[in-house]
Amino acid sequence: MTSQTTENKEKSIVLVGLMGAGKSSVGRVLAHKLGLPFVDSDDEVEQAAGCSIEDIFEFYGEAAFRDVEARVLKRLLDGPPQVIASGGGAFMNDETRRRITDGAVAVWLRADLATLERRTRRRHGGRPLLKGGSTRAKLKSLIDERYPVYAEADIIIDSMDEPPDKTAGRVLDRLRVAAATDRTAPDGAETPR
Ligand code: S3P
């Protein structure tokens, strides 16, 4: 059960992490638990561009995708509090990351390579970065590049093989601790600094 008084519902919560980390599935449940709207930034990008992520990459290139993505995130962050599942690359943009860490709560769903590989096997749609060649090698290189940056998130939650409801519950516990102490906990710590 959620309580209005123990969670900070004034800020948006932005789920960060690689493709397959569970940002959308956990985000949806988390939003429900918090009584907040849920939005997926990839869906918003597709709506804004009027075409699929694959088509944006193919016809306009990744830089154009990143540009739309950054503008979409800015709009979402300027809006009322909600749970936002961000595309895996969104937090890598300096300006977007600053907006998120300044005005929202960033939650990194951290998953290991084997988990990401297994989960992304189920869906490559909307993920042109995984097309062609070894998915494992691509994910490994994204882990090396991005995990040090994702580590700047306010809260880090290990994404495990469990129902999204359970992971969302663990996120909620951490948000409660953060709200109770009026700050978000640092890197992977179970208790606030
Ligand atoms: C990307 C992740 C995708 C999507 C796009 C690029 C990335 O979103 O935004 O294919 O750079 O990691 P998900 O993380 O929701 O799959």
Side-chain angles (χ1 to χ4, degrees):
M1 216 192 73
T2 60
S3 151
Q4 298 272 351
T5 53
T6 53
E7 285 127 24
N8 186 348
K9 293 221 251 174
E10 284 155 27
K11 290 178 170 184
S12 281
I13 293 155
V14 182
L15 295 164
V16 171
L18 269 187
M19 298 168 271
K23 301 178 299 273
S24 302
S25 47
V26 172
R28 230 171 248 118
V29 182
L30 182 65
H32 183 72
K33 284 180 187 290
L34 286 166
L36 287 175
F38 169 77
V39 65
D40 187 311
S41 74
D42 286 341
D43 294 343
E44 295 293 314
V45 166
E46 291 189 329
Q47 267 187 36
C51 62
S52 68
I53 290 176
E54 282 95 340
D55 284 352
I56 304 174
F57 268 72
E58 187 176 340
F59 299 116
Y60 305 100
E62 180 172 349
F65 170 80
R66 297 298 172 201
D67 188 50
V68 181
E69 183 177 54
R71 281 187 282 134
V72 160
L73 260 304
K74 178 181 183 311
R75 173 172 58 77
L76 296 177
L77 290 163
D78 284 345
Q82 50 195 333
V83 175
I84 303 169
S86 66
F91 200 68
M92 298 303 291
N93 176 296
D94 292 344
E95 187 65 27
T96 300
R97 190 168 63 256
R98 191 191 55 73
R99 283 184 204 286
I100 294 172
T101 50
D102 283 1
V105 180
V107 178
W108 173 22
L109 292 185
R110 178 173 61 188
D112 61 24
L113 179 58
T115 304
L116 296 172
E117 199 186 358
R118 196 173 53 252
R119 292 197 192 142
T120 53
R121 217 177 281 141
R122 292 181 218 143
R123 177 170 85 77
H124 273 200
R127 293 170 171 165
L129 293 184
L130 297 183
K131 279 215 180 112
S134 155
T135 302
R136 187 181 174 82
K138 286 176 203 289
L139 287 170
K140 169 79 175 72
S141 128
L142 287 170
I143 285 176
D144 292 345
E145 177 198 345
R146 293 182 178 177
Y147 277 19
V149 179
Y150 290 167
E152 291 177 31
D154 300 297
I155 291 174
I156 301 175
I157 297 288
D158 282 314
S159 172
M160 303 196 266
D161 275 324
E162 61 187 10
D165 184 63
K166 208 156 173 216
T167 313
R170 290 194 289 120
V171 175
L172 204 55
D173 288 346
R174 290 287 300 278
L175 288 171
R176 283 185 178 134
V177 172
T181 57
D182 201 28
R183 65 185 305 169
T184 42
D187 293 337
E190 291 304 320
T191 50
R193 253 189 296 230

